[in-house]
Amino acid sequence: MSLLETHNLTAHYGDFQALFGVDITLEEAETVAIIGANGAGKTTLMRSIAGVLRNAAEAVTYDGRPVGAQPADEIMAQGVAMVPEGRKLFPSLSVEENLLIGTYGRKKSGHWTLNTVYDLFPILRERRNSPGTALSGGQQQMVAIGRALMSNPRVLLCDEISLGLAPVVIKDIYAAVPAIKAAGASLVVVEQDIAQAMAVADRVYCMMEGRITLSGTPESLSREAIHDAYFGAAA
């Protein structure tokens, strides 16, 4: 039994269908990358898993339980946290206050506290009293990741965490992944950067137009197969 699964998952925005029968799995202590171009359905998939978009109960299972129909706060309380695209920090709150938001609704304690988040991202300790939106883009992303970790999740959903950041900053962000996994979290990482996704993931799914077009381990997928799955095979 996988830790997280989707089963024939669909999603709609009004009359527009964004996902078509998506099946993915996430195992314990695994990092899965979801790649694809803009509009492929990656963020919709993450929002569906997190409960932001509701679905049939059996369309998403977590730890063997159907959770597809549950709201986001209930799913988060069970151990699934999301780092949203665009970070979504509260501009009126300090760095530390933004981090503490992540503890609301948490049912049990665990590895992640303010101190362990500050150990993971030392710059945040220095900036703890600064407004969250006064930080650089990379530092804001660290706050968003830390906020999600404060709920001590078993599953961490990371939606486009490298978007708009300089390569050296992206390297620093992804350097935290081993420590996050060592503390007990499994990760689903949405990435447009194929090379970064292949470097961090145990398995990769490629999406195009709301469907899974390719899956496998980074070692098993050729550059040509990924290109065709990402952009569509040439006629």
Side-chain angles (χ1 to χ4, degrees), residues 17-89:
Q17 186 167 354
L19 297 180
F20 299 82
V22 172
D23 297 308
I24 71 166
T25 62
L26 174 70
E27 309 298 334
E28 290 274 8
E30 186 179 40
T31 298
V32 163
I34 311 292
I35 63 174
N38 282 335
K42 306 183 303 297
T43 292
T44 299
L45 173 59
M46 300 289 267
R47 288 164 59 87
S48 298
I49 293 171
V52 179
L53 296 175
R54 309 281 278 278
N55 215 297
E58 64 275 9
V60 182
T61 58
Y62 167 65
D63 203 18
R65 302 184 301 274
V67 298
Q70 294 183 10
D73 60 327
E74 292 183 10
I75 293 176
M76 185 276 290
Q78 295 175 68
V80 179
M82 184 162 72
V83 183
E85 182 182 357
R87 301 180 281 272
K88 305 293 194 297
L89 301 186

Side-chain angles (χ1 to χ4, degrees), residues 104-183:
Y104 294 166
R106 184 173 66 181
K107 288 189 174 180
K108 60 182 180 180
S109 60
H111 173 80
W112 296 107
T113 64
L114 282 174
N115 282 334
T116 52
V117 168
Y118 289 148
D119 289 343
L120 183 67
F121 299 122
I123 188 62
L124 300 187
R125 180 179 276 114
E126 299 176 23
R127 304 296 304 275
R128 64 196 303 170
N129 295 317
S130 301
T133 52
L135 276 60
S136 69
Q139 291 166 1
Q140 289 185 41
Q141 192 61 271
M142 293 174 188
V143 176
I145 295 170
R147 179 181 60 193
L149 291 176
M150 288 288 286
S151 69
N152 281 291
R154 290 181 67 192
V155 174
L156 184 65
L157 309 174
C158 299
D159 192 3
E160 300 280 16
I161 58 175
S162 68
L163 190 64
L165 301 181
V168 66
V169 178
I170 295 170
K171 181 179 179 181
D172 289 343
I173 295 289
Y174 273 100
V177 168
I180 293 171
K181 292 180 70 173

Side-chain angles (χ1 to χ4, degrees), residues 4-17:
L4 179 75
E5 301 180 49
T6 68
H7 309 273
N8 197 31
L9 179 66
T10 61
H12 295 78
Y13 296 101
D15 294 333
F16 174 74
Q17 186 167 354

Side-chain angles (χ1 to χ4, degrees), residues 157-221:
L157 309 174
C158 299
D159 192 3
E160 300 280 16
I161 58 175
S162 68
L163 190 64
L165 301 181
V168 66
V169 178
I170 295 170
K171 181 179 179 181
D172 289 343
I173 295 289
Y174 273 100
V177 168
I180 293 171
K181 292 180 70 173
S186 302
L187 288 83
V188 181
V189 177
V190 162
E191 261 297 346
Q192 288 191 53
D193 185 330
I194 296 174
Q196 183 62 69
M198 301 293 273
V200 74
D202 299 300
R203 285 187 302 118
V204 177
Y205 291 93
C206 186
M207 295 187 70
M208 185 173 64
E209 297 180 349
R211 295 174 171 87
I212 300 295
T213 52
L214 186 70
S215 64
T217 63
E219 299 78 16
S220 69
L221 301 178

